Amino acid sequence: MKWNVGWGVIPYCNMNCQFCYSNHVRSNPNFSLCKFEEWKNFVDQNHDLIGSINYGTGESTISDDWFKLIAYIRNSYPDIKQALTTNGYLSYQIKNSSEYDAIVRKSIDEVDVSLDFADAEKHNIFRGQPCAYEWAIDTLSYCQHNDIPCTIVFLGTDSVLDINNVANLFEIARKYNTILRTNIFRPTMGINNFSKKFVASYTNILECIYWIN
């Protein structure tokens, strides 16, 4: 049996999402769970058990060592599939580094891009980053150009699940030949009252599902 590993190599994120339940950790660039050698050792010791890895949780592409890690895994254990969940910052990194571009094209088999609103201003405000929409769209374009399978992932809150917004997200998905997927926002342990306002109503979830169907 092979494991599908969900791996948050770094907790740090370069956005300030309104709904984030752990921004006290995400906003600290000096906070790291492990270092490259520990990541490498984990894969070396367990590669026979690993079928695939999806890098998520923080924004992995911020870390130079992440690019080093995916290159190492592809070169050493090419049978392990590697996927990335990104807020779109991937496009910024590869635009500024031909080395990173080559590594991603060789090492990453699939990309999930977070894009909640089809409207740039709304998405940027929701994610607390003025470049969020631009980065997401650029990453979708990059994946399309390089034939990397890609999925748009949008958060299931009442405002995001608005039918007009979802319809426009489908148009973006069609343009860039991607799958569209939603993660319904769920309360977690320690969630504060401010974050509870992002919990989608059951009615809105059903209406969106019916519309999609």
Side-chain angles (χ1 to χ4, degrees), residues 90-98 100-101 134-135 138:
L90 171 67
S91 63
Y92 179 85
Q93 289 284 61
I94 58 181
K95 186 181 296 184
N96 291 283
S97 172
S98 58
Y100 287 172
D101 178 23
E134 177 186 353
W135 290 344
D138 285 351

Side-chain angles (χ1 to χ4, degrees), residues 15 17-19 86-87 113-128 132-133 136-137 140 152-170 172 180-185 198:
M15 295 195 180
C17 300
Q18 294 181 10
F19 53 85
T86 177
N87 58 32
V113 181
S114 297
L115 180 62
D116 305 302
F117 288 97
D119 179 86
E121 183 178 4
K122 288 182 179 179
H123 181 69
N124 291 344
I125 292 173
F126 196 55
R127 291 281 171 171
Y133 185 85
I137 294 298
L140 293 173
I152 293 174
V153 183
F154 63 96
L155 188 66
T157 70
D158 283 333
S159 58
V160 176
L161 292 175
D162 176 81
I163 299 303
N164 289 329
N165 181 58
V166 175
N168 288 328
L169 287 175
F170 268 98
I172 294 174
L180 198 64
R181 174 168 59 86
T182 185
N183 286 334
I184 302 300
F185 183 85
F198 295 106

